[in-house]
Amino acid sequence: MPNHKLTAHREAADRISQNYRAAVAEVQEDRDLSNEGRQRRLADLYVDARRRLTDLAQKEKAELDSRRTALENQFFGARGAGGGWDTASHAISARDASDRAAQIKTPAEAAELLERANADGDELLARAVARRSVRASEQAVGQRAVADWDAVSMTYLDARPRLLPVAEELGQIENMSKREVFSPFSLSKPAGLDPAALNVAAVNKSSEPVEA
């Protein structure tokens, strides 16, 4: 199930954009304003909204990065896999599993090693293979290659349904982190805005704090 807390900044950005568009329309329709006054008001509105959206975008990125790290630790971490091992033995086994997974060159090799790890109950190795498959999928070129690596990850996940919510949230974060032509935090300048007025507004507001 998607984590709706992750979209809080985008919802705030949408409110800022809606208020901005309404304010711009009001200024443009105000016939009592001189051209200079209209330009000044429009520039102030744009600079203020843009700064607030930029601040939200930076906060979202920081929170998504932090949440991704926490979720990956749950998905790939070795919690509960150590049994009664001592810390040193566990660390050695985890390093050995990571080294074996790093040698994987193809999805077929990954699938074979994952099958062996599942059969042996070797959770450390299974998670290392899954991590390797996810990273390989991110770097793969071509839909077929991506699908083959993803199939290995899905095999890992199918055997561990308790991790499905973690995987779904990681997928949500991945989608939100992709580059977008029209970002929820982007903003269009008012039509006819004079660059000179915009420069003045940017300078005047450069020392002002961004409103929460």
Side-chain angles (χ1 to χ4, degrees):
M1 179 179 296
N3 184 347
H4 295 291
K5 291 182 180 180
L6 296 177
T7 62
H9 292 307
R10 298 191 174 212
E11 292 166 1
D14 185 57
R15 292 192 294 270
I16 290 172
S17 295
Q18 289 182 19
N19 292 337
Y20 162 76
R21 288 192 293 269
V24 166
E26 183 178 346
V27 170
Q28 290 175 330
E29 294 170 4
D30 189 344
R31 302 306 174 191
D32 294 331
L33 285 173
S34 65
N35 182 61
E36 181 180 351
R38 181 173 293 103
Q39 287 288 332
R40 184 169 58 250
R41 292 278 295 278
L42 291 174
D44 285 346
L45 286 171
Y46 176 73
V47 170
D48 181 61
R50 184 181 62 182
R51 291 182 62 214
R52 295 174 68 189
L53 289 173
T54 298
D55 182 62
L56 284 175
Q58 292 172 345
K59 288 180 178 178
E60 180 186 87
K61 183 180 185 306
E63 291 182 16
L64 290 182
D65 288 346
S66 175
R67 183 60 178 163
R68 181 191 288 111
T69 298
L71 290 170
E72 287 183 343
N73 285 339
Q74 292 182 47
F75 196 82
F76 298 117
R79 183 180 301 170
W85 300 354
D86 61 73
T87 303
S89 297
H90 190 277
I92 292 172
S93 296
R95 186 164 56 248
D96 177 65
S98 180
D99 290 342
R100 291 178 67 185
Q103 302 303 312
I104 295 172
K105 303 299 182 184
T106 67
E109 292 178 6
E112 181 181 354
L113 190 56
L114 178 59
E115 182 179 3
R116 228 182 306 159
N118 285 337
D120 294 341
D122 190 339
E123 190 68 11
L124 287 173
L125 181 57
R127 293 186 180 197
V129 173
R131 182 188 288 272
R132 168 74 177 111
S133 299
V134 169
R135 296 293 180 259
S137 175
E138 294 171 349
Q139 299 170 4
V141 178
Q143 293 183 348
R144 177 60 184 274
V146 171
D148 287 346
W149 284 111
D150 286 348
V152 179
S153 303
M154 287 305 302
T155 299
Y156 171 80
L157 185 59
D158 288 343
R160 298 159 181 82
R162 69 187 185 282
L163 294 177
L164 183 57
V166 178
E168 289 178 343
E169 191 171 343
L170 280 170
Q172 182 184 6
I173 291 175
E174 181 66 23
N175 288 333
M176 292 176 67
S177 301
K178 290 179 180 177
R179 284 192 170 188
E180 301 171 282
V181 177
F182 298 104
S183 164
F185 305 101
S186 61
L187 196 67
S188 298
K189 296 178 184 177
L193 179 59
D194 187 344
L198 182 57
N199 289 337
V200 170
V203 170
N204 289 341
K205 289 182 173 291
S206 61
S207 60
E208 297 180 9
V210 177
E211 297 180 8

